[in-house]
Amino acid sequence: MSGFDKTWLALREPADIAARHGALVQDLAGHLASLENARILDIGCGTGSTWRSLSDRLPGDVNWHLLDYDPTLLQEAARQIGLNSKVGFLQHDLNDIAALPLDGVDVVTASALFDLCSEQLCTDLADRLASARIGLYAALNYNGLMHWSLPHPLDGEIVDLFNRHQRTDKGLGTALGPDATDCLTRVLTARGFRVKIEDSPWRLDANSRALQIELLNGLRQPLLEMKDLPEAKIDEWLGYRRDMVGEAGSLCLVGHADLLALPL
Ligand SMILES: C[S@@+](CC[C@H](N)C(=O)[O-])C[C@H]1O[C@@H](n2cnc3c(N)ncnc32)[C@H](O)[C@@H]1O
C-alpha cells in the first residue's frame, strides 16, 4: 500500500495483531510444543512484527531466524527486538527460493507477504517445504475484500481496480494478490499438507484513524497507475473516504486470511 517503510509497518502492526486468528496460533503452538528445539524461519520479516505477535504465544524455547532482503528493515528489526540469543537475522532475496536457508527449520512463518508473491514462488516454496516436511504459517494475506459501512457509489469500481493492481508484479513475479490463500491451499494440499484457513480481517473504526488515512493515501498511486478512472474521480472518492474516517458509525473492513499448513 505505502511501500514497506517502517512507519507504515508500525502503523499496521496493532491492526494485524488484533486481526490474526487465535485458533491457528494455538494450533501452531501445539505443533511446535511437540518438537524439540523447534526453529522458525520468518520470511519477509520487515521490522519483526510476526515475532512480536507470536513469540509470547508459542513455546519459550523456539529459535527464530528473521529474513528479509531489505537491510534497513532488518536493522530496524534487530534494534526493536534487542539482544536475544533466540533470534537471528538473515538477508536473502525471496526470488531465490532454491537457496532459502531451510536446514533445521520446522516452520516457515510469514505475514502480509504472499499476496505479493507469484504462483511460481508459492509452488517452488511448497516443493521445498514438502521435501523437508516443514510447516507454513502464512498470516494476513489480503483477500480482495474492502468494505466501508458508509457507502460511496464508486466503492465497487475502486476496489476492483485496486485488486487488479494487486495482481501486478511487486518484485516477486506476477503477484497473486487476492488469490494468494487459494494458491497456497492448492499447492500445499497437493503435496500432502493438512491446511487450515481462517479469516483475519482488519476492522478499522475511529481508533485507527491514522492507519485508515495512510491506507487511503497508499491507494492513490496504484489506482492512478491502472488508468481506468480519471484522476479527479479518484481524488473525489479519496476526499469522501478521508472525510468519513472517524464519523459516527464509520467502519472500514479489509479482508485477510490466515493459513496454517502442517505436514501429515
Ligand atoms: C507487507 S511487508 C510485511 C512485513 C512483516 N511481515 C509485517 O507483517 O509487518 C512485506 C515484506 O516483504 C519483504 N520483501 C518484499 N520483497 C522481498 C524479497 N524479494 N525478498 C525478501 N523479502 C522481501 C519486504 O521487505 C517487507 O518487509
Side-chain angles (χ1 to χ4, degrees), residues 4 9 44-46 49 68-69 73 92-95 111-113 172:
F4 306 121
L9 295 179
C45 66
S49 180
D68 208 287
Y69 73 157
L73 292 178
H92 180 84
D93 188 336
L94 289 169
N95 284 296
S111 306
L113 177 73
L172 288 159

Side-chain angles (χ1 to χ4, degrees), residues 31-32 35-42 61-65 86 90 99-109 128-129 131-135:
H31 175 67
L32 292 168
L35 306 172
E36 261 178 51
N37 300 319
R39 189 166 155 193
I40 286 179
L41 177 69
D42 184 48
D61 58 353
V62 172
N63 285 287
W64 287 74
H65 277 91
K86 296 208 169 296
L90 294 166
L100 192 66
L102 291 178
D103 278 358
V105 170
D106 296 294
V107 173
V108 168
T109 60
R128 290 217 50 207
L129 297 179
S131 63
R133 297 182 50 76
I134 296 171

Side-chain angles (χ1 to χ4, degrees), residues 15 21 24 31 40 55 63 76 98 109 129-131 140-141 153 165 175-176 179 184 193 246 255 259 261 264:
H21 200 282
L24 291 194
H31 175 67
I40 286 179
S55 53
N63 285 287
E76 180 61 16
T109 60
L129 297 179
S131 63
L140 300 158
N141 306 299
H165 189 276
L176 286 158
D179 305 321
L184 284 173
F193 284 80
L259 172 148
L264 285 174

Side-chain angles (χ1 to χ4, degrees), residues 6-248:
K6 61 182 184 181
T7 314
W8 165 249
L9 295 179
L11 209 46
R12 61 173 292 166
E13 188 165 310
D16 284 344
I17 288 174
R20 280 175 197 276
H21 200 282
L24 291 194
V25 177
Q26 271 177 19
D27 286 356
L28 173 62
H31 175 67
L32 292 168
S34 71
L35 306 172
E36 261 178 51
N37 300 319
R39 189 166 155 193
I40 286 179
L41 177 69
D42 184 48
I43 58 174
C45 66
T47 66
S49 180
T50 311
W51 179 83
R52 277 187 292 283
S53 305
L54 296 189
S55 53
D56 285 350
R57 301 162 73 186
L58 301 182
D61 58 353
V62 172
N63 285 287
W64 287 74
H65 277 91
L66 274 52
L67 177 149
D68 208 287
Y69 73 157
D70 182 332
T72 313
L73 292 178
L74 281 171
Q75 272 168 23
E76 180 61 16
R79 190 192 68 77
Q80 288 192 29
I81 291 169
L83 267 189
N84 185 325
S85 62
K86 296 208 169 296
V87 185
F89 300 91
L90 294 166
Q91 190 177 356
H92 180 84
D93 188 336
L94 289 169
N95 284 296
D96 189 357
I97 289 293
L100 192 66
L102 291 178
D103 278 358
V105 170
D106 296 294
V107 173
V108 168
T109 60
S111 306
L113 177 73
F114 282 101
D115 38 54
L116 307 171
C117 296
S118 67
E119 179 167 3
Q120 188 62 55
L121 189 155
C122 291
T123 306
D124 294 346
L125 179 63
D127 279 340
R128 290 217 50 207
L129 297 179
S131 63
R133 297 182 50 76
I134 296 171
L136 177 70
Y137 168 76
L140 300 158
N141 306 299
Y142 174 61
N143 70 2
L145 296 175
M146 270 199 273
H147 177 77
W148 292 267
S149 57
L150 305 177
H152 183 283
L154 282 179
D155 287 343
E157 218 174 322
I158 293 273
V159 174
D160 284 351
L161 209 52
F162 178 65
N163 287 346
R164 277 172 41 212
H165 189 276
Q166 287 290 98
R167 294 183 169 94
T168 61
D169 194 334
K170 307 290 185 303
L172 288 159
T174 304
L176 286 158
D179 305 321
T181 305
D182 283 352
C183 175
L184 284 173
T185 304
R186 183 166 38 77
V187 296
L188 290 162
T189 306
R191 286 159 182 78
F193 284 80
R194 182 166 35 94
V195 178
K196 279 193 190 175
I197 298 154
E198 296 288 354
D199 288 334
S200 52
W202 283 354
R203 297 178 201 279
L204 308 178
D205 59 16
N207 295 318
S208 322
R209 185 184 163 75
L211 175 59
Q212 289 191 65
I213 295 293
E214 200 48 40
L215 174 67
L216 292 169
N217 291 344
L219 291 178
R220 188 170 188 276
Q221 189 57 29
L223 293 172
L224 286 175
E225 283 173 17
M226 296 310 288
K227 298 189 190 316
D228 268 27
L229 271 177
E231 186 168 356
K233 284 227 168 219
I234 292 171
D235 284 337
E236 176 212 308
W237 180 84
L238 286 171
Y240 172 82
R241 282 276 148 248
R242 286 190 193 102
D243 288 347
M244 289 306 106
V245 173
E247 282 294 299

